[in-house]
Amino acid sequence: MRKIVVSMWTTLDGFVAGPDDEMDWLLVDDHLQKYERALVDNAGSLLLGRITHADFAGHWPSTAQNPDQPDDVRGYAQRLDALEKIVVSASGNTATWTNTRRLTRLDADEITEIKRGPGGDIVVYGSLTVIRSLADLRLIDELHLLVHPVFLRQGKALFDGGQPPARLDLVSAEPFASGVVLLRYHPA
């Protein structure tokens, strides 16, 4: 069965973006880029919310075709472009991007059926509403947190209140030269 793998860049204090979606705190190095490339190389699909899908669709397809981009960036972009994209959007106002299909909502049975399908893992980037819904439905198989050595002190939290605690088991912890630490968890 395919796994749902949530990959999220976060700060030490648990924020995934600043109050106005700022991401200027990211520390991207070769190690982090190698992790991201390996993640999508083993993937069969991206599962994204409408806004993240639109952001990606506006950036990665052109990057994939841009000869001025470094080979590793262009290769990553080409892989994203080739993957199946599953976008969750009740409104149907989704960006145009090849190999995209839409779900109107996250339904546990439908997601389980997608997981039973052929292909590699299903990777979730960004998309806080999707991630929170998947967590509430207990459908996340792996959580990869790329913890950056910074305190934002305010911003958008990965998870908000209102739900009971969820225990996780640490699978691995891998420090990068930049100070970022990749923490991989499975549900307990």
Side-chain angles (χ1 to χ4, degrees):
M1 184 180 287
R2 302 165 75 190
K3 296 182 294 190
I4 291 182
V5 179
V6 170
S7 180
M8 184 59 74
W9 298 5
T10 184
T11 64
L12 281 171
D13 51 353
F15 294 110
V16 297
D20 296 315
D21 290 326
E22 304 94 334
M23 301 287 290
D24 55 348
W25 47 270
L26 295 175
L27 299 171
V28 179
D29 64 4
D30 289 341
H31 203 150
L32 189 134
Q33 289 179 325
K34 286 178 185 173
Y35 155 78
E36 293 291 351
R37 181 60 195 255
L39 181 66
V40 298
D41 281 349
N42 292 314
S45 305
L46 294 176
L47 176 60
L48 306 169
R50 181 184 55 81
I51 295 171
T52 303
H53 179 267
D55 290 346
F56 277 34
H59 178 75
W60 291 115
S62 61
T63 301
Q65 303 305 317
N66 185 346
D68 295 332
Q69 290 291 327
D71 289 343
D72 57 336
V73 173
R74 197 170 61 252
Y76 175 78
Q78 289 168 347
R79 180 65 185 139
L80 287 181
D81 202 35
L83 287 172
E84 172 194 38
K85 276 73 72 178
I86 304 167
V87 59
V88 182
S89 172
S91 72
N93 296 326
T94 59
T96 302
W97 192 6
T98 59
N99 204 18
T100 294
R101 67 178 166 133
R102 180 174 70 96
L103 301 178
T104 57
R105 62 186 179 88
L106 284 176
D107 174 78
D109 292 334
E110 188 171 13
I111 297 299
T112 300
E113 197 59 37
I114 291 169
K115 289 172 69 172
R116 286 190 181 118
D121 292 339
I122 302 161
V123 174
V124 183
Y125 285 125
S127 310
L128 291 178
T129 302
V130 170
I131 292 169
R132 291 168 181 165
S133 295
L134 289 169
D136 292 348
L137 294 169
R138 301 185 186 277
L139 291 172
I140 297 173
D141 299 293
E142 289 185 21
L143 180 63
H144 296 186
L145 296 178
L146 293 134
V147 181
H148 288 64
V150 63
F151 292 118
L152 283 187
R153 294 186 165 85
Q154 61 180 341
K156 295 186 177 182
L158 176 54
F159 293 104
D160 53 6
Q163 295 295 326
R167 295 262 179 223
L168 302 171
D169 290 330
L170 179 66
V171 175
S172 65
E174 181 181 356
F176 297 170
S178 64
V180 171
V181 178
L182 169 60
L183 301 171
R184 297 177 198 236
Y185 292 96
H186 288 161

